[in-house]
């Protein structure tokens, strides 16, 4: 089993594989930081509702968004995880940095649009739009953490074929995904849950 910088080609029938948890976690940091900045800037205008109501509404939206994002499609993830097949000898494991970069490049304009909408909403309901974005980022981080716990329980890291992801490098449980592949817990350069591994291992 080989690791690749791009991980999109074939080698003797192998497939490029991306870590499921890394794909999930890729949007967590930008959504969180865009949300924090939007909430900070959004605290300046009074808006239609006033800051106090805006903050209370934003706090509620943060909690709801985090819960919805964290819990959405868990059954699908769990079913795919339990049915994961063993990765082949010639499958190419995509580096964590490449997976993250592909997702963020594919979603950059959506992130900018979401940030602009969150800023604009501050003139109606201060802070709320930013906290909604931050809640979505928190939900992705929680979902990746849950995936990490599943990987440890299964003693297997979960991977998805790169060519089954959508055109923006996301949707690791989309309709195109027929199944996942598993490797040893030390494979690749990302730890369970998709965090950066301190010492990369090749298995």
């Amino acid at each position: 089993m080989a690791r690749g910088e791009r991980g999109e080609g074939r080698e003797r029938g192998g497939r490029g594989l991306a870590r499921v948890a890394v794909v999930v976690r890729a949007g967590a940091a930008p959504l969180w930081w865009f949300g924090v900045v939007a909430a900070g800037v959004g605290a300046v205008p009074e808006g239609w509702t006033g800051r106090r109501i805006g903050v209370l509404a934003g706090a509620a939206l943060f909690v709801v968004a985090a819960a919805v994002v964290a819990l959405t499609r868990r059954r699908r993830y769990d079913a795919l995880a339990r049915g994961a097949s063993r990765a082949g000898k010639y499958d190419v494991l995509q580096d964590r940095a490449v997976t993250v970069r592909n997702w963020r490049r594919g979603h950059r304009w959506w992130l900018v649009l979401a940030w602009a909408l969150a800023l604009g909403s501050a003139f109606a309901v201060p802070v709320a739009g930013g906290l909604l974005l931050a809640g979505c980022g928190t939900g992705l981080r929680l979902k990746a953490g849950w995936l990490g716990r599943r990987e440890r329980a299964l003693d297997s890291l979960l991977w998805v074929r790169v060519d089954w992801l959508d055109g923006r490098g996301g949707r690791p449980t989309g309709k195109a995904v027929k199944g996942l592949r598993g490797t040893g817990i030390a494979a690749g350069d990302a730890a369970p849950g998709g965090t950066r591994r301190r010492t990369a291992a090749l298995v």
Side-chain angles (χ1 to χ4, degrees):
M1 192 181 304
R3 281 180 53 219
E5 174 62 23
R6 301 192 67 83
E8 296 182 6
R10 296 185 184 182
E11 181 183 350
R12 299 185 186 181
R15 301 282 185 172
L17 304 178
R19 277 289 301 285
V20 175
V22 173
V23 176
V24 171
R25 184 180 288 272
L31 283 169
W32 166 261
W33 287 112
F34 274 138
V36 168
V37 172
V41 176
V44 176
E46 283 285 348
W48 293 342
T49 62
R51 291 192 189 92
R52 181 174 178 276
I53 292 178
V55 169
L56 291 175
L61 288 172
F62 178 94
V63 172
V64 171
V68 169
V69 172
L71 297 174
T72 297
R73 298 181 70 81
R74 277 200 178 187
R75 289 185 181 180
R76 170 73 168 155
Y77 280 99
D78 195 50
L80 289 171
R82 285 186 280 105
S85 60
R86 188 72 179 174
K89 179 179 180 180
Y90 296 108
D91 285 334
V92 181
L93 307 184
Q94 189 175 79
D95 292 343
R96 179 184 184 276
V98 176
T99 302
V100 171
R101 183 167 67 244
N102 289 345
W103 190 98
R104 292 179 182 176
R105 282 180 177 174
H107 291 81
R108 62 187 181 276
W109 295 116
W110 290 103
L111 292 169
V112 171
L113 177 60
W115 184 62
L117 291 173
L119 285 176
S121 70
F123 292 97
V125 187
V127 181
L131 289 180
L132 174 62
L133 276 188
C136 291
T138 299
L140 289 177
R141 192 177 298 275
L142 292 172
K143 179 176 286 184
W146 172 77
L147 282 169
R149 291 191 293 275
R150 293 292 294 129
E151 288 178 323
R152 289 189 179 91
L154 295 168
D155 198 30
S156 175
L157 301 182
L158 301 173
W159 302 77
V160 61
R161 279 175 47 175
V162 172
D163 59 335
W164 282 351
L165 297 174
D166 66 13
R168 295 186 295 273
R171 294 185 62 80
T173 59
K175 291 182 179 180
V177 179
K178 305 299 190 296
L180 301 180
R181 297 195 182 184
T183 64
I185 206 74
D189 63 349
T195 57
R196 186 179 292 105
R197 195 190 298 276
R198 291 185 177 181
T199 303
L202 181 59
V203 175

